[in-house]
Amino acid sequence: SPHGTPYLYTIYSTVFRDGTQPVDVFQTPLGIRTITWDQNFPYINGRKHLMRGAAKRYDYPGFGSGLPEELRWKDIRLLAECGGNFLRPSHQADSVAIIEACDAYGVCVTQPNADCEGQVTPEHPEFYEYKREYLRDIIVRDRNNPSIVAWELSNGALPPGFPAELKGIIDAWDSLSRTPSNRRAVAGTNRPHTIDWSVVDIGGVMNDEGASTKRAHPATPVYTSEMWYTGRGYTGRASWRTEPAEGYINIICNDTLANCFGVHHFSLFECSGEECYETPLEGGRVRGQGWSMTD
């Protein structure tokens, strides 16, 4: 159960020769938990949870795609140690090691589909098929991991009718998402006006849109999938002042009062995976976003 030290079982698959002599054994970690939702919150093992965490970009540009698993585990350990129990890989699914680390540290995951932000249009039919295949494959890969709480349809707007098609893929490949115990709901996009509220089970929005969105859709759980707003530009961390934190504190307080269930700070680490700025810093300058949790 998030967060803390969830209990993981171990399955031993043993091969015997002649029915008696063990010749090989394989260990598989397994987490067992229940999750239900009301109109506001997830209930994990019967306990209501407020989800607090971060989005994660590609934070080690020097490694590219060859990032050692040790560093992936380190990222999730740091998030858990500072009280985080919620991760959003941004904006497409992360590695198996990240999900296994989330299982072990009790960090819940909203798992994205392929990104293609703003590119899924009739002029680009190839992205329709890309998102269909990506969503199917990531569900098949991760559907047995207990840390997954939601499958995200898209980061950004989708053409009319396509969200319902993607929801059908989720229902087809993760049967537990359709049971009365709704183990895995569906996260939407990060702009309220682009969400097909007739399809999604969860609405994910941006910055200070959570409270107003929840009031407009009281029957649907709502969370902030990206919180990077400070109200004072993108140099908040670099200034080493307390004022920029006010924007984040206000968002979290307003969301909580409106019964939003969670928030992802965008992002977990300063990196070159998003827009980068040369921000002033005492004694020099730092290249980074300027709004992330950790340098």
Side-chain angles (χ1 to χ4, degrees):
S1 61
H3 49 81
T5 54
Y7 186 86
L8 292 180
Y9 297 85
T10 301
I11 297 174
Y12 293 88
S13 304
T14 306
V15 178
F16 293 90
R17 177 181 291 127
D18 299 326
T20 58
Q21 181 182 357
V23 295
D24 195 11
V25 63
F26 186 80
Q27 298 182 30
T28 305
L30 174 69
I32 301 175
R33 57 113 170 105
T34 61
I35 177 170
T36 57
W37 296 82
D38 63 14
Q39 71 275 19
N40 298 318
F41 302 103
Y43 292 77
I44 301 175
N45 297 334
R47 174 186 169 192
K48 182 178 79 174
H49 271 79
L50 292 174
M51 316 301 282
R52 301 286 184 257
K56 185 181 182 301
R57 294 292 282 175
Y58 311 102
D59 307 318
Y60 298 92
F63 283 100
S65 297
L67 186 64
E69 288 194 8
E70 178 184 5
L71 292 180
R72 302 181 194 271
W73 277 76
K74 176 185 175 182
D75 289 350
I76 304 306
R77 175 177 59 81
L78 290 173
L79 176 61
E81 285 180 350
C82 73
N85 63 353
F86 204 24
L87 178 75
R88 181 192 183 218
S90 304
H91 298 293
Q92 55 207 35
D94 215 312
S95 69
V96 171
I98 287 288
I99 304 304
E100 290 176 343
C102 288
D103 292 344
Y105 283 107
V107 175
C108 293
V109 180
T110 51
Q111 186 68 293
N113 190 4
D115 193 352
C116 307
E117 184 174 2
Q119 300 179 81
V120 186
T121 63
E123 292 76 24
H124 295 281
E126 66 275 14
F127 289 121
Y128 286 76
E129 189 61 24
Y130 178 51
K131 288 186 75 69
R132 293 184 190 107
E133 294 186 1
Y134 194 109
L135 181 60
R136 177 202 63 202
D137 290 352
I138 206 63
I139 291 172
V140 171
R141 193 194 78 174
D142 293 343
R143 61 189 172 187
N144 289 323
N145 290 88
S147 57
I148 303 291
V149 298
W151 304 108
E152 186 174 298
L153 296 183
S154 184
N155 179 59
L158 291 174
F162 198 42
E165 182 181 344
L166 295 177
K167 174 66 159 55
I169 292 174
I170 294 171
D171 291 342
W173 291 97
D174 180 11
S175 61
L176 290 175
S177 71
R178 293 180 286 125
T179 64
S181 177
N182 196 352
R183 191 175 75 119
R184 296 173 185 173
V186 183
T189 62
N190 54 22
R191 292 290 188 186
H193 63 277
T194 66
I195 298 176
D196 187 342
W197 292 94
S198 67
V199 171
V200 300
D201 300 318
I202 298 172
V205 296
M206 183 180 288
N207 293 328
D208 56 354
E209 298 169 329
S212 60
T213 302
K214 178 59 183 172
R215 286 191 290 268
H217 300 276
T220 303
V222 170
Y223 73 108
T224 297
S225 60
E226 294 184 17
M227 180 183 68
W228 43 262
Y229 169 80
T230 66
R232 293 173 175 82
Y234 300 139
T235 59
R237 293 188 68 256
S239 68
W240 298 105
R241 297 171 64 88
T242 59
E243 292 91 339
E246 295 175 6
Y248 299 119
I249 297 299
N250 289 336
I251 290 171
I252 292 174
C253 289
N254 291 334
D255 283 4
T256 303
L257 290 172
N259 283 334
C260 297
F261 73 85
V263 61
H264 290 300
H265 186 112
F266 194 89
S267 62
L268 182 58
F269 297 108
E270 289 289 343
C271 65
S272 299
E274 187 71 15
E275 297 96 336
C276 287
Y277 301 90
E278 292 282 350
T279 53
L281 185 67
E282 184 177 350
R285 300 177 69 83
V286 60
R287 179 170 173 80
Q289 296 155 290
W291 64 69
S292 299
M293 291 175 61
T294 310
D295 62 23

